[in-house]
Amino acid sequence: MTVPTGVAAATAAAPAPPRRSRGRRDRAGYLFLLPWFVGMLFTVIPFFASLYLAFTDYDLLTAPRWIGLENFREMLGDARLRQSLQVTFVYTFVSVPLSLAAALLVAMVLHRGIRGLPVYRAVFYLPSLLGGSVAVVLLWRYIFGAEGIVNDFLGWFGVRGPAWTTDPDHALTTLIILHVWTFGSPMVIFLAGLRQIPVAYYEAAAVDGASRFRQFRSITIPLLSPIIFFNLVQSLIASFQTFTQGFVLSGGTGGPAESTLFYNVYLYLRGFTQFDMGYASAMAWVLLVLIAVLTAINFLAARYWVFYDN
């Protein structure tokens, strides 16, 4: 292919940007990146410091003493650690599916084109911003208290409800309900994904006689599977990091009877109540590895149920 003479001449004659101008632009770019680099130091330094402390005996008052793998060996016989893992796993594997199901259900209802959609979207999204706050957890403790609104409602039907937040059999359930209530963030993402599915697919399926459920199973779920996968991974990671809800509801103890002793609550108690920061650092690294393993499993399983349009 021959380049026209005029084009070649114009290209050859185009002046290169001055070196001084490029240097000025580079300095401006680095200047804008400077806050990120400074912030990164406050992440990287504690990151590697906690890795070192995980192999030490450190009480925040005296110098760390190297003890090797002793903190990790102690975990194998720690009954409270096993309890915290059990509470966290139950909370995660019950609340996350329920939350995603509620988010998808509401997103599909809003996707049908009701009036005042921006208002409803904001109303449903708001709890996801407030659900992790101390004020909402305190309100939750009042709603599910012995004399709370829930028991008042049950009393209208002659049912005497328990003190939900102080009963070991029900305390974790109240926090699961709180988590499900904060489905707004995945709902907005689901709603955006639903709007990307071509209407022609549903019209063709309806012509072929497919029911609404068959359309949902054969069109909506496969085409929405990347969004479901994204929300699933995000929700799993966030659930394993739950702290505020359990800490505030139990008054910082993980009670009643350790029924709300989340992993991060126990980590806090070991590090800042018992001043065993070496053990707490080891727990933090175990949590990091646990989340990484579960995330890797999700990515490996995704190849069997997540479908990308490519």
Side-chain angles (χ1 to χ4, degrees), residues 135-261:
V136 169
V137 179
L138 291 175
L139 177 62
W140 214 253
R141 188 165 64 180
Y142 170 75
I143 292 174
F144 285 91
E147 305 296 332
I149 298 174
V150 172
N151 282 346
D152 287 343
F153 175 76
L154 294 176
W156 295 348
F157 303 95
V159 178
R160 182 177 178 81
W164 301 89
T165 58
T166 57
D167 188 333
D169 295 329
H170 301 97
L172 185 60
T173 303
T174 63
L175 293 181
I176 291 175
I177 296 173
L178 174 59
H179 182 89
V180 175
W181 179 64
T182 60
F183 62 79
S185 181
M187 180 213 68
V188 172
I189 299 175
F190 278 139
L191 186 58
L194 288 170
R195 294 190 169 188
Q196 300 303 314
I197 300 177
V199 180
Y201 292 172
Y202 294 102
E203 294 174 346
V207 171
D208 290 340
S211 63
R212 288 290 182 86
F213 177 75
R214 182 59 186 272
Q215 294 177 28
F216 174 76
R217 184 169 62 88
S218 301
I219 299 176
T220 305
I221 293 298
L223 295 181
L224 206 61
S225 58
I227 306 296
I228 297 173
F229 174 66
F230 173 80
N231 280 332
L232 175 63
V233 172
Q234 291 286 95
S235 299
L236 280 176
I237 294 174
S239 294
F240 272 97
Q241 298 178 23
T242 299
F243 171 78
T244 304
Q245 295 90 327
F247 186 83
V248 174
L249 188 74
S250 65
T253 64
E258 299 184 347
S259 59
T260 60
L261 185 66

